[in-house]
Structures are given as structure tokens and as C-alpha cells.
Amino acid sequence: MAKDIYKELEKLLIPTNNGWEITDVMIDDKKEEVEVVVGFIDSCYRNGRKKYSIYDYRPERKWRHLDLWQYKTYISSRIPRIKTQHGIESIPVPWSTSHERISTLFEKKL
């Protein structure tokens, strides 16, 4: 049942693709906050024709997202890093642009 709810949330709220999926949803009724945990579930990252193994993961990071009803909503994730010819790089996330602390959908509503 819970996985079905995660799939519906992915369709409605968070643009996930290319190895990303919702792994947990935590609701704090006292703070009126929802935290959606998104994980990279693949063992490698594909960029065009190139395939990279996951080198390691950055510490957990949070992005402010669109509210769910009256609850503030956040996306949290540990972003995988890959080793390329240019060095160690974080892979892009589908819900935000690089170095932003808010999701693309939240930014559009500002």
C-alpha cells in the first residue's frame, strides 16, 4: 500500500526519473511539515551514452517544496557523486537546479 502512495506522490508532486524514487514520507503534525525522502536507487548513473558508477554520496540535503495542504513540504536526499574525467561531480536532481535550496516548482510559485 505505501509504495502505491509513493508512486502517486511521484506523479503529482516530485518529478523523479532516471533512477530516483520516493523512499519515505514523514509527517510531523506538531510542526505541520511533510518531508519527502527521495533516493537514487540505481547502482550507476547514465549521462547520454556514458555510464558512471556511483563514487559516494553527499550528506543529506533539503529543498523547500510546494505545500501539501497547510503543511510545509520539504524534499530531502543524499545526492550521489560520480568520478568523471573532470573530477568528482554530483549528479543533477530532477526537482531543482544546481545549488538551489528550493524546488523548481516552489520557485515558479514565488
Side-chain angles (χ1 to χ4, degrees):
M1 172 77 174
K3 283 292 182 187
D4 294 337
I5 292 170
Y6 294 171
K7 291 296 178 195
E8 291 304 314
L9 282 172
E10 287 172 358
K11 284 189 234 173
L12 296 171
L13 299 173
I14 300 171
T16 57
N17 59 19
N18 298 330
W20 295 97
E21 76 173 30
I22 294 175
T23 58
D24 199 6
V25 177
M26 296 172 283
I27 300 169
D28 186 331
D29 290 319
K30 289 183 181 181
K31 290 183 180 179
E32 294 189 342
E33 292 181 354
V34 174
E35 182 175 341
V36 180
V37 181
V38 181
F40 191 78
I41 59 163
D42 288 345
S43 60
C44 63
Y45 171 72
R46 294 180 191 272
N47 187 4
R49 293 183 178 185
K50 294 189 178 185
K51 183 177 174 181
Y52 300 97
S53 294
I54 302 301
Y55 178 76
D56 66 3
Y57 290 82
R58 293 181 59 185
E60 183 179 81
R61 202 174 149 191
K62 282 191 180 185
W63 295 262
R64 181 72 163 85
H65 193 53
L66 296 174
D67 291 345
L68 287 173
W69 303 281
Q70 78 274 15
Y71 283 37
K72 288 183 181 176
T73 304
Y74 298 90
I75 300 171
S76 66
S77 183
R78 293 187 66 213
I79 302 170
R81 298 190 318 157
I82 56 174
K83 189 173 188 176
T84 70
Q85 64 272 22
H86 304 293
I88 307 299
E89 300 177 12
S90 297
I91 68 170
V93 297
W95 56 86
S96 183
T97 56
S98 182
H99 306 295
E100 288 290 334
R101 292 292 180 180
I102 59 175
S103 71
T104 305
L105 291 174
F106 187 79
E107 185 176 16
K108 287 180 182 179
K109 294 293 180 184
L110 292 180

